[in-house]
Amino acid sequence: MRVRKLTLAAMALAAGLSLTACQNDDGGTDQGAAPPAASTASSSNGGSESAGTGSSGADGADGSGGSDGAGKTPNGTGGTGGTDGAAEDGKPAMCRTDELEITATDATVGGDTEGTVAVDLRNGGGRDCTLAGYAGVDLKTNAGTLSAKRTGEQATPVVLKDGENVTFGITYPMNDSGGSGVRITGLVVTPPNETKSVTLDWPGAATLPVTDGSGTPVRVGPMGSAGQGD
């Protein structure tokens, strides 16, 4: 019986050791398992890769000129136009009022049924510029402001080199009524595509005939049309 008890005790001890060993193996696996750590590292690496992609994207943005491109005025159309006077289509930009020397002279020829004033625009801006269309023309009178009507002639763009000039004509009815008429006190000219005007002395006849609106109007021609009233 003693031997049997010893045997049983030995077997129980062995079984206990075996169970403890199994538990240590499982615990080692759980505690030493790297998957969570590896997963975290993978996420960290993934973040680095994403950051790298982001950096690459940022480089791409720089390369594509997102910020730099906007700042490189010499390569921008607007900047070029502002710097050397080139418009978007490569032609000289529009002439500005401050760049033009504007004068007006009487251009009426004896025997004409209408009077003519020639308005000359000289480019003094130091760069080539373009005048396209009609200038705005208003006569200041003792009865108020009178706006000239366009003749309807084709308006061809004119490129003015620095120092060059172009002239357009203003035609108006002569006051042959014998009455005092409407007294002209000044001429206001606004270059095409501009809002800034210049006021000049009126060089033509002193008065216009009084009319109820059915008479000949004051008319303005396009650039290059001096004396060409219809």
Side-chain angles (χ1 to χ4, degrees):
M1 291 295 292
R2 182 180 177 83
V3 174
R4 185 175 181 181
K5 286 181 179 179
L6 289 173
T7 302
L8 290 174
M11 291 178 63
L13 179 60
L17 292 173
S18 176
L19 179 60
T20 301
C22 290
Q23 288 175 347
N24 289 337
D25 289 342
D26 292 340
T29 302
D30 291 340
Q31 296 173 5
S39 176
T40 302
S42 175
S43 297
S44 177
N45 290 338
S48 298
E49 290 175 3
S50 298
T53 304
S55 299
S56 174
D59 292 339
D62 290 341
S64 63
S67 298
D68 294 341
K72 294 177 181 177
T73 305
N75 293 332
T77 303
T80 302
T83 302
D84 59 15
E88 292 184 2
D89 57 4
K91 295 180 181 179
M94 293 296 174
C95 299
R96 297 303 173 201
T97 302
D98 291 338
E99 299 175 316
L100 298 170
E101 299 172 14
I102 304 176
T103 56
T105 57
D106 184 9
T108 304
V109 177
D112 285 353
T113 57
E114 291 183 319
T116 301
V117 166
V119 179
D120 186 81
L121 297 88
R122 181 180 180 277
N123 179 12
R127 67 179 180 92
D128 295 354
C129 64
T130 302
L131 287 171
Y134 287 74
V137 169
D138 297 292
L139 299 187
K140 298 172 69 175
T141 77
N142 62 335
T145 300
L146 176 64
S147 296
K149 299 181 180 297
R150 296 179 178 182
T151 60
E153 299 171 74
Q154 182 177 358
T156 303
V158 177
V159 176
L160 290 183
K161 293 185 179 300
D162 184 38
E164 290 186 344
N165 66 292
V166 65
T167 306
F168 68 87
I170 302 170
T171 57
Y172 60 94
M174 302 294 286
N175 182 18
D176 298 325
S177 65
S180 59
V182 177
R183 183 166 55 87
I184 304 173
T185 60
L187 169 64
V188 181
V189 177
T190 308
N193 302 294
E194 266 286 55
T195 56
K196 185 175 182 179
S197 304
V198 295
T199 301
L200 308 171
D201 291 334
W202 174 252
T207 63
L208 297 173
V210 176
T211 176
D212 58 3
S214 60
T216 302
V218 177
R219 293 175 295 183
V220 56
M223 294 297 123
S225 65
Q228 295 181 8
D230 290 340

